[in-house]
Amino acid sequence: MVNKRKSLPPSLTIKLGKWVWTTLWQIMMSRLAPRNNSGEYIRPASLFRETVSIQTENKYQPATKRYRLFVGLGCPWAHRTLVVRALKGLEDVISITIASPAGDKGIWVFENEQEGCQTLPELYKLGQPGYNGRATVPVLWDEQTKTIVNNESADIIVILNAEFNQFAKNPDIDLYPEELKAKIDEWNEKIYHTVNNGVYRCGFAQSQEAYEKACRELFTTLDEIDNTLSKSRYLCGESVTLADVRLFTTLFRFDVVYYGLFKCNLRRIKDYKYLSVYLQDLYQLPGIADTCNLEAVKQDYYGNLFPLNPGGIIPLTPDITEVIS
Ligand SMILES: N[C@@H](CCC(=O)N[C@@H](CS)C(=O)NCC(=O)O)C(=O)O
């Protein structure tokens, strides 16, 4: 039997589908990921940059149970703050609220009301009336003045490392010692651009050139790190520093999320002789495994970055926590 139903010729269907999808993709990507004229992803700067310090004129004095961290378990930037909180033994000093992504709204929400707020954008507005920018995790929040102290993970981990020692269970662990600062900063600079933000520059690239540039830079740095780790246990020698913490949260997500979803697929971490052992080493440090939630990571990335995964299917992946435990 011949099907007499009229239908669009396939080539026209494909052309139309491609045009509609590409146009929508570009609109959505421009919201998700600001870009420059070459299609390179440009991460917006964090706006709240105060510190906690015992200096008398400082508004935010160190105290126990005064500050709260708002985090998302999928977020690598927020994850850094959880790792430092665990390494320093600040669990009883700094409280935690875990926010979850509300898929269709593109914002972080709370399971239980926080400071009278149901969502992170509401909390930002409470902290700074009229605030209309991005509401990102992590946030270091002051429960006393009801303001945001800082929303930049790179700053928050420095604060947690140094300013709460009088209350910390492990005050002697110094992740940013004076004598290694220059070396740590040097790694941080390189690793931020090419690895931490580098994976986003791959995944959020909006041109072939931008993607290839980011991808090559990413793997050049990973190769260099692998070589360094053939000679020393951690990036700056035999003890863990903030440079390792910052690298760890990206490595933990790499094989299950960035490799596939962000097209970082030249190599996996498990293909690297030294990086793979290093990831395992860091994961096994006391308290770290408890900060890691692979299911939340997969759900957050594959379930919420709609333009990168329109079908919303969460892939089955090896359970890397079994491999690195
Ligand atoms: N510079 C920030 C970046 C934080 C960030 O991008 N967080 C993402 C989650 S992984 C977020 O909350 N995005 C929400 C948004 O951009 O609206 C930091 O390192 O603290």
Side-chain angles (χ1 to χ4, degrees):
M1 270 260 292
V2 180
N3 184 353
K4 293 214 175 104
R5 258 189 321 134
K6 285 193 181 145
S7 62
L8 289 174
S11 74
L12 195 58
T13 316
I14 291 167
K15 267 192 197 146
L16 188 67
K18 254 188 154 173
W19 182 82
V20 170
W21 168 240
T22 312
T23 308
L24 278 177
W25 183 77
Q26 276 160 356
I27 293 170
M28 283 187 288
M29 283 304 286
S30 66
R31 289 294 176 92
L32 177 69
R35 60 172 181 241
N36 66 13
N37 289 340
S38 315
E40 288 173 293
Y41 169 54
I42 308 293
R43 178 174 290 276
S46 306
L47 295 177
F48 298 86
R49 306 295 292 266
E50 298 285 331
T51 191
V52 175
S53 147
I54 47 166
Q55 305 265 316
T56 43
E57 71 277 12
N58 196 61
K59 179 174 171 191
Y60 302 109
Q61 292 288 314
T64 186
K65 299 219 163 40
R66 172 172 169 179
Y67 301 97
R68 178 174 289 275
L69 276 171
F70 288 87
V71 297
L73 293 179
C75 172
W77 315 99
H79 192 181
R80 297 166 162 190
T81 67
L82 291 178
V83 170
V84 174
R85 177 175 173 265
L87 291 175
K88 294 291 293 188
L90 289 170
E91 290 89 342
D92 300 331
V93 181
I94 312 276
S95 325
I96 288 284
T97 292
I98 296 172
S100 321
D104 290 349
K105 296 199 196 106
I107 57 172
W108 293 97
V109 296
F110 311 129
E111 197 181 330
N112 303 310
E113 215 174 72
Q114 300 288 319
E115 307 277 16
C117 303
Q118 255 135 25
T119 71
L120 195 63
E122 286 173 32
L123 188 87
Y124 269 70
K125 279 205 179 78
L126 177 66
Q128 189 180 99
Y131 180 81
N132 220 359
R134 289 191 165 211
T136 54
V137 287
V139 168
L140 182 61
W141 175 260
D142 176 19
E143 299 195 327
Q144 195 171 305
T145 59
K146 312 275 182 231
T147 52
I148 295 175
V149 181
N150 199 301
N151 73 338
E152 170 53 52
S153 62
D155 295 346
I156 298 174
I157 57 177
V158 171
I159 296 171
L160 297 186
N161 176 59
E163 305 300 339
F164 292 91
N165 280 336
Q166 52 187 308
F167 313 109
K169 283 197 200 100
N170 306 317
D172 297 333
I173 294 181
D174 186 359
L175 302 164
Y176 196 35
E178 205 54 49
E179 67 278 12
L180 291 177
K181 269 189 179 154
K183 207 166 173 191
I184 295 170
D185 290 346
E186 201 180 310
W187 272 120
N188 284 350
E189 177 69 13
K190 178 178 287 187
I191 291 175
Y192 172 76
H193 287 292
T194 57
V195 182
N196 303 136
N197 196 40
V199 293
Y200 284 87
R201 288 171 55 223
C202 294
F204 289 173
Q206 288 156 69
S207 71
Q208 182 68 33
E209 298 72 37
Y211 160 73
E212 284 189 22
K213 180 167 179 266
C215 195
R216 287 193 202 293
E217 287 175 9
L218 163 65
F219 283 94
T220 301
T221 302
L222 290 180
D223 292 351
E224 185 189 336
I225 294 172
D226 199 55
N227 184 38
T228 298
L229 295 174
S230 71
K231 292 170 237 148
S232 73
R233 181 168 170 191
Y234 299 113
L235 286 172
C236 299
E238 294 310 297
S239 53
V240 182
T241 66
L242 289 184
D244 301 295
V245 171
R246 293 167 51 127
L247 178 57
F248 169 72
T249 63
T250 299
L251 296 184
F252 177 70
R253 287 155 178 74
F254 202 96
D255 290 0
V256 288
V257 171
Y258 303 140
Y259 182 84
L261 187 68
F262 282 6
K263 303 192 184 76
C264 302
N265 20 21
L266 274 180
R267 282 177 281 289
R268 292 164 302 185
I269 299 307
K270 71 180 258 207
D271 301 324
Y272 280 101
K273 183 161 176 203
Y274 298 100
L275 263 174
S276 54
V277 176
Y278 167 81
L279 171 60
Q280 185 167 21
D281 182 343
L282 291 168
Y283 184 81
Q284 291 177 3
L285 292 176
I288 301 308
D290 290 341
T291 67
C292 299
N293 186 328
L294 199 63
E295 279 316 305
V297 167
K298 283 170 57 174
Q299 186 65 44
D300 277 15
Y301 279 89
Y302 283 101
N304 293 297
L305 295 178
F306 173 80
L308 299 185
N309 189 30
I313 289 172
I314 318 281
L316 298 176
T317 60
D319 181 353
I320 66 146
T321 57
E322 259 172 31
V323 181
I324 61 182
S325 301

